[in-house]
Amino acid sequence: MSITASDLARWAFWVGLRKGLSPDHPGVVRALAKGWRLQWMACPADRALMADEYKRWLGDTLTTRGHNRLVAEAYRSAWRVHLDELLLSQLNPENIDAWVKIRGEHRLKAALDQGVGVILVYPHAGPVMLMIAALAHKKYPYVQYAARGLAPKDMAQTHPELLAHNPLRAAIRKSREAHEDSLNVEYLTLDAPVRTLHRRLQSGHIVGIAFDGRIGSGWAPTPFLGRTALLSPGPWKLAASTKAIVLPVFCHGPKTGPAIVEIGSSIQGHQDWKEVATLAIRQQTAWLRRHPESYGLWLLHTRKRAGIDDHPLFIDVAPDERYRAWMPDEAKRTPGLSEAVNMTG
């Protein structure tokens, strides 16, 4: 695919701008935080899609003007998150507290003391990479489980308008992952055997998983934000099978001051993975209602990619009927869909 103006802008941000920023000069970072308006102004079609996502979630609790303000706040929040992420490889134990604060860290320590491993579950919201940096610099044994790299070539070729490879996109991804690799954490991709996760938990590690990720082998229709979402049952089944403690976590960035990581109450001892999921998602929903701006970029991201496969995040924006393969009634008639269970029972 040829290089676009958008690719050039992303390269300038993720590769070029990184070289000029330092955590020792927070005033420069804060001044650049005002640049969110440029991205907001440049993306009218994306703003409309994001506004529609918020309307499907929040409905008439906001006026049209209120939804538009929320979209603007989502762009501001995401820009701040990305700016802070540019500092990732320059953060260290001495300066990390100036950039991110952990609330409820005592819950994490208490969970680790039980020696059965901890699964941190969070949505794609807010400064997740700063959370990982904070845990790394505080010497927690952390394992990040997530997809990495560019989209698979076959998928990129099928959807070139969204996922096609080119040299700038490869350079951006290489730069971002190189700085992520500077942290003292272990990254496991979805190709890693499940037994590896079991071993890490058995040895008392923390495993971090985004519960709303779009890569996986099975999907369960789940009530989420007033809609029906297709979510992977993987994190909850892992917890139920290993007896590891689940800690819901949420990241958000205030307009001023350090990023915030909220650690919720522990979930453990449940044999039914659907019970674990229900409790964790209930806590996440409460956080998202307080900080809806933190989720705007992920709502937009998944909306634009709703037609890529058979499991859009929310089924009410599916462009075709493929998602029905994961609905309970279809699963009963279709062999091989053992993952298609309704999390509400």
Side-chain angles (χ1 to χ4, degrees):
M1 179 182 177
S2 60
I3 293 173
T4 67
S6 179
D7 292 328
L8 286 169
R10 289 192 181 98
W11 183 91
F13 184 92
W14 289 109
V15 181
L17 185 57
R18 190 188 297 272
K19 299 175 182 178
L21 291 184
S22 167
D24 297 329
H25 300 96
V28 175
V29 181
R30 298 299 176 249
L32 289 170
K34 298 176 182 178
W36 69 268
R37 292 183 181 276
L38 297 175
Q39 185 183 23
W40 176 83
M41 292 172 61
C43 304
D46 285 354
R47 296 201 309 264
L49 273 183
M50 190 187 294
D52 184 66
E53 283 293 304
Y54 277 128
K55 288 173 185 175
R56 290 171 184 268
W57 168 13
L58 300 169
D60 58 6
T61 60
L62 292 177
T63 64
T64 298
R65 188 176 182 181
H67 282 292
N68 290 336
R69 285 180 175 175
L70 181 53
V71 168
E73 185 63 12
Y75 272 90
R76 182 209 61 79
S77 175
W79 184 266
R80 157 81 192 273
V81 167
H82 291 154
L83 270 178
D84 286 355
E85 190 176 325
L86 292 177
L87 303 172
L88 205 59
S89 61
Q90 300 182 67
L91 299 177
N92 56 53
E94 285 69 44
N95 63 23
I96 189 66
D97 287 342
W99 294 93
V100 56
K101 298 290 186 184
I102 300 178
R103 295 175 177 169
E105 189 175 355
H106 64 283
R107 297 188 178 108
L108 177 58
K109 292 178 178 179
L112 285 171
D113 285 345
Q114 296 195 38
V116 294
V118 173
I119 302 174
L120 293 187
V121 289
Y122 55 86
H124 281 86
V128 172
M129 287 309 306
L130 262 66
M131 173 193 75
I132 296 174
L135 295 174
H137 291 307
K138 291 176 181 292
K139 308 300 182 184
Y140 286 106
Y142 187 84
V143 178
Q144 179 62 33
Y145 185 62
R148 302 188 90 198
L150 296 173
K153 288 186 176 180
D154 56 344
M155 183 178 290
Q157 291 170 353
T158 304
H159 302 278
E161 73 285 0
L162 292 172
L163 304 174
H165 298 181
N166 67 38
L168 277 189
R169 292 183 183 184
I172 294 166
R173 176 49 52 188
K174 182 178 179 180
S175 174
R176 294 186 70 174
E177 292 188 358
H179 288 272
E180 292 170 4
D181 290 340
S182 69
L183 301 175
N184 185 27
V185 302
E186 180 181 8
Y187 296 95
L188 292 178
T189 67
L190 305 183
D191 294 330
V194 175
R195 63 178 177 273
T196 303
L197 293 175
H198 283 244
R199 289 170 180 166
R200 296 297 183 271
L201 291 170
Q202 289 169 0
S203 61
H205 281 65
I206 302 166
V207 172
I209 306 176
F211 71 85
D212 57 356
R214 308 321 301 147
I215 304 296
S217 58
W219 306 94
T222 311
F224 182 47
L225 304 184
R227 303 161 73 182
T228 298
L230 291 177
L231 300 179
S232 170
W236 326 118
K237 288 189 172 183
L238 180 65
S241 64
T242 62
K243 313 305 180 189
I245 297 170
V246 170
L247 285 178
V249 175
F250 187 80
C251 306
H252 60 97
K255 290 184 178 181
T256 60
I260 303 297
V261 177
E262 311 267 8
I263 299 179
S265 300
S266 63
I267 302 169
Q268 64 183 125
H270 294 275
Q271 301 297 319
D272 187 342
W273 65 266
K274 288 179 275 188
E275 293 179 7
V276 180
T278 297
L279 293 171
I281 291 174
R282 183 180 301 159
Q283 174 66 85
Q284 294 293 352
T285 299
W287 278 322
L288 284 165
R289 285 175 177 161
R290 289 198 291 271
H291 303 284
E293 75 286 349
S294 296
Y295 210 44
L297 207 65
W298 189 245
L299 291 174
L300 174 63
H301 175 89
T302 56
R303 175 66 174 272
K304 293 172 71 173
R305 290 158 175 76
I308 284 180
D309 47 42
D310 65 355
H311 51 276
L313 178 57
F314 294 107
I315 66 172
D316 60 358
V317 295
D320 52 50
E321 300 295 301
R322 288 176 295 165
Y323 76 90
R324 291 187 177 277
W326 301 107
M327 304 307 285
D329 291 343
E330 294 293 329
K332 294 173 183 176
R333 298 193 294 268
T334 307
L337 294 183
S338 58
E339 298 294 332
V341 290
N342 191 323
M343 294 168 80
T344 64

